[in-house]
Amino acid sequence: MRLLTTLLLILLANGACSAQQEPIAITNQEFGKIYFTKTTPKVTGRIRNASPEELAGLKVTAHKVYLIGDTQGKEVIKLQNDGTFEITVFEPLPYQQIWFMIDKLMSLCLYVHDGVFIDLDLKILKQPDGYQNDEVLKFNGPDSAVCSTMNRYYGFKRKNQLDFDLYAMAYKPDDRYFPRLDSLLAVRQEADQRFVAVHGSQFKFLIDNETKSDYLQWKATYYFRYFSKNRRDPEIGYDFSEYLEHPIYAISNSSKILLKYLLYAYLTSRSERMKQSVDHANLLSGIDSTFGKDYGGLLMFQIEDPDITEQKRIFEKAHSILERDWQKASLKKYLEEVTMKANRVDSLLVISESKNEKSEIGIFKLETPFGGHLFVSDKTTGRDLLKAIRSAYPDKLIILDIWATWCAPCMEQMPYSKNLHQETKRQNLPVEFVYLCTSGGSKEDKWTNKIVELELPGTHVYVDENHINELFELFKKSGYPSYVVIKPDGRTDVNAIQWMHGVTLEDLKKML
């Protein structure tokens, strides 16, 4: 009897340990065994106590963190008549972070591992302090516990102001930087312990991992910014061993940004920058030899190029180098999508009408089927180009969009500009959208490919970097994107547009 009791206690203890056992990290070579046996999780939900009119008026979005390419992707959620909805999950990765938002009413942080159902009560949510009511939100399904815990954790972090807000220190690093960073890590870890003491230790491994990812992210930021300015210092060196010892359990902002800045630090160690031309084949091989098959593959996933054709080549080369089957399978899905976009660009270029004619604005290069007209400026100054644009579109409202092919915020604003352009054409308004792309950090073919990829109508001018700088000085602008409005009477307004996503058709009508 005593022997049976002892065996039972051992089994119960082992069961308790396995319940708390950390999952296999994606940086572990054994992760493939999980990836290929795990089903892609489902995220569904329902908004209750909402009228059809209320449902139609809600703006619901999901901002998903991606392992490959962009840090986040936005999905606009379509609500069914009964308030139900579904969020698309791309592949069976662990603890995928999704920021679920309902207008300005609610923001949830989901960690999706096996699947979850979100149950929301709109009637309670709309009440004063409804967000605080425990009845407004309930999670069901396999991930109910982790989503509930991590939402409480992020609320706890915000309340205690524990984020690593170290930008000022990162820009002005000194010998005291790392001791300060280590001290802040200790403070954050102590706060994490207080949270775990109240809410349980089931997901302590995830909280600890996210905190350490934040810490290493800032360390990589330091390397990237400081060492790029002090290459000749013989005491400076790179040591990536601490990163390689850090497992990654979640596809989250913390882990994603860590990988991004670790890549930037590595590029800096090779005297390369993301905005300049890089030998991607040698870069991929170098990453593989420096970081190994597991971490190295994740860093390859972060390499981006604004030219969709070049991005396709990068993914194809990375796919041939990767040795972990799960990484090859994951990249293949993105490669198929990129290939489809690259083929679309090629087909549009084929049916576009190539020209090489001198025009008022510059050398007329291309006329596209989607209403894009591409010019290469041949002016001797930025002011001459500005005069030519004004002369080309008299009595029109001109929206100048100054951008760069490597500028991510520029790309994010282009769809809003495109929608506005289409609305003005439908209403036959005298508005011309003129996009001035700097030659700095880019090439003419990449500029062409990006416009065709976005299928962006309007007037496009490829401009010498010095002439863009001259216009920046004239308009008292300093960064990308920058917007300038030239009214039909010739007056210039440099403050009318800050971001294209905030501009409406009515705003443009008032400017006419």
Side-chain angles (χ1 to χ4, degrees):
M1 183 67 179
R2 182 176 296 175
L3 178 60
L4 289 174
T5 303
T6 302
L7 289 172
L8 181 61
L9 288 173
I10 291 172
L11 289 172
L12 288 173
N14 287 340
C17 289
S18 62
Q20 300 296 325
Q21 188 176 9
E22 295 179 4
I24 296 178
I26 63 170
T27 47
N28 188 314
Q29 64 178 0
E30 298 296 315
F31 176 73
K33 296 177 181 178
I34 296 175
Y35 183 88
F36 288 112
T37 58
K38 191 173 180 288
T39 58
T40 301
K42 288 187 176 181
V43 180
T44 55
R46 182 182 180 186
I47 299 177
R48 294 183 290 109
N49 291 326
S51 68
E53 293 75 20
E54 286 177 314
L55 290 173
L58 286 178
K59 181 182 178 183
V60 183
T61 56
H63 301 258
K64 297 173 283 189
V65 179
Y66 293 146
L67 176 61
I68 300 175
D70 294 336
T71 299
Q72 285 191 6
K74 177 181 175 181
E75 179 183 357
V76 177
I77 305 301
K78 182 180 179 181
L79 299 176
Q80 302 301 319
N81 293 334
D82 61 354
T84 58
F85 59 87
E86 183 174 348
I87 301 174
T88 306
V89 181
F90 199 50
E91 56 183 324
L93 293 169
Y95 298 106
Q96 299 175 68
Q97 193 178 60
I98 299 175
W99 296 90
F100 177 80
M101 300 180 183
I102 303 179
D103 287 334
K104 298 180 181 178
L105 295 173
M106 172 174 277
S107 176
L108 300 178
C109 179
L110 309 176
Y111 277 77
V112 180
H113 189 69
D114 294 310
V116 67
F117 181 87
I118 308 165
D119 192 349
L120 286 164
D121 190 318
L122 186 64
K123 184 178 180 180
I124 297 176
L125 183 59
K126 284 192 170 184
Q127 294 175 359
D129 298 323
Y131 188 80
Q132 310 282 338
N133 193 320
D134 290 339
E135 295 299 315
V136 73
L137 168 67
K138 293 180 181 178
F139 292 113
N140 295 301
D143 294 334
S144 57
V146 66
C147 287
S148 179
T149 299
M150 296 307 286
N151 262 287
R152 290 193 182 100
Y153 176 64
Y154 275 92
F156 172 82
K157 277 183 25 175
R158 285 192 295 268
K159 184 177 179 181
N160 290 273
Q161 297 180 342
L162 294 171
D163 287 334
F164 281 6
D165 190 11
L166 302 174
Y167 281 102
M169 292 170 60
Y171 276 116
K172 297 180 180 179
D174 54 33
D175 293 338
R176 295 168 293 170
Y177 177 84
F178 283 121
R180 285 189 223 165
L181 189 56
D182 291 342
S183 296
L184 284 170
L185 174 62
V187 170
R188 174 89 167 260
Q189 289 174 329
E190 188 276 331
D192 290 347
Q193 292 301 319
R194 286 190 280 116
F195 177 85
V196 167
V198 174
H199 297 283
S201 61
Q202 183 179 4
F203 300 105
K204 180 179 183 299
F205 76 92
L206 190 55
I207 292 170
D208 290 346
N209 192 244
E210 294 285 75
T211 293
K212 190 64 179 291
S213 289
D214 286 341
Y215 166 78
L216 290 174
Q217 169 206 142
W218 283 112
K219 225 170 186 181
T221 304
Y222 172 83
Y223 282 133
F224 169 52
R225 290 172 176 160
Y226 182 67
F227 289 112
S228 63
K229 297 179 180 179
N230 298 273
R231 298 184 193 280
R232 297 180 182 178
D233 189 336
E235 300 298 321
I236 292 176
Y238 280 80
D239 182 7
F240 296 116
S241 60
E242 185 176 10
Y243 299 91
L244 296 177
E245 294 167 1
H246 174 65
I248 292 179
Y249 294 120
I251 313 302
S252 64
N253 283 337
S254 295
S255 59
K256 178 72 176 187
I257 297 173
L258 165 60
L259 291 171
K260 286 284 188 185
Y261 274 101
L262 186 54
L263 174 64
Y264 296 161
Y266 178 70
L267 281 167
T268 305
S269 74
R270 292 165 52 98
S271 301
E272 293 172 330
R273 286 172 44 199
M274 296 301 286
K275 294 179 186 178
Q276 294 176 336
S277 178
V278 176
D279 185 341
H280 289 121
N282 287 335
L283 173 61
L284 290 164
S285 298
I287 288 173
D288 184 62
S289 61
T290 302
F291 295 96
K293 307 303 179 186
D294 298 294
Y295 241 103
L298 300 184
L299 287 183
M300 291 182 200
F301 290 166
Q302 312 314 313
I303 300 175
E304 296 179 271
D305 194 284
D307 186 344
I308 194 70
T309 303
E310 185 62 29
Q311 186 69 65
K312 175 174 172 281
R313 294 193 192 101
I314 293 169
F315 279 172
E316 287 174 338
K317 181 62 178 178
H319 193 269
S320 69
I321 292 176
L322 293 171
E323 294 187 14
R324 301 293 183 238
D325 288 341
W326 81 266
Q327 291 181 350
K328 293 177 79 73
S330 182
L331 183 60
K332 184 180 178 182
K333 297 178 181 180
Y334 288 86
L335 178 55
E336 289 171 352
E337 184 178 334
V338 168
T339 299
M340 187 168 60
K341 290 181 179 179
N343 291 342
R344 171 68 176 166
V345 169
D346 290 341
S347 64
L348 284 172
L349 284 172
V350 167
I351 61 177
S352 296
E353 185 180 352
S354 298
K355 299 184 178 182
N356 192 26
E357 305 169 354
K358 190 171 179 59
S359 71
E360 191 169 5
I361 294 176
I363 305 301
F364 189 10
K365 177 181 178 180
L366 200 68
E367 181 177 355
T368 70
F370 50 80
H373 297 82
L374 281 63
F375 300 83
V376 175
S377 175
D378 60 353
K379 308 307 175 190
T380 55
T381 68
R383 283 175 169 78
D384 286 343
L385 175 61
L386 188 60
K387 290 177 183 177
I389 292 171
R390 283 175 169 169
S391 176
Y393 304 108
D395 304 320
K396 277 193 172 186
L397 179 72
I398 302 172
I399 310 297
L400 289 183
D401 183 332
I402 306 175
W403 66 292
T405 59
W406 43 260
C407 167
C410 300
M411 302 302 110
E412 292 170 359
Q413 297 301 306
M414 293 299 191
Y416 301 101
S417 179
K418 179 179 178 178
N419 289 338
L420 270 177
H421 181 279
Q422 292 169 339
E423 288 182 22
T424 60
K425 292 302 179 186
R426 280 194 291 269
Q427 296 200 17
N428 199 29
L429 296 178
V431 179
E432 189 68 31
F433 289 78
V434 180
Y435 301 86
L436 306 181
C437 178
T438 177
S439 66
S442 187
K443 295 181 179 179
E444 188 178 324
D445 59 341
K446 290 195 174 188
W447 163 70
T448 303
N449 288 350
K450 180 56 64 176
I451 295 166
V452 175
E453 178 195 344
L454 296 171
E455 296 188 32
L456 193 63
T459 300
H460 299 271
V461 190
Y462 187 69
V463 185
D464 183 273
E465 181 181 14
N466 293 326
H467 297 171
I468 291 291
N469 291 337
E470 182 186 340
L471 293 177
F472 274 162
E473 184 178 351
L474 176 66
F475 297 133
K476 294 181 170 54
K477 298 282 186 177
S478 60
Y480 303 96
S482 285
Y483 305 99
V484 177
V485 173
I486 303 176
K487 298 186 177 181
D489 62 5
R491 289 181 299 144
T492 299
D493 190 337
V494 299
N495 299 314
I497 299 176
Q498 301 303 316
W499 297 98
M500 289 306 301
H501 69 252
V503 183
T504 66
L505 191 63
E506 294 304 313
D507 292 331
L508 296 184
K509 288 179 179 178
K510 292 176 182 177
M511 296 178 193
L512 285 168

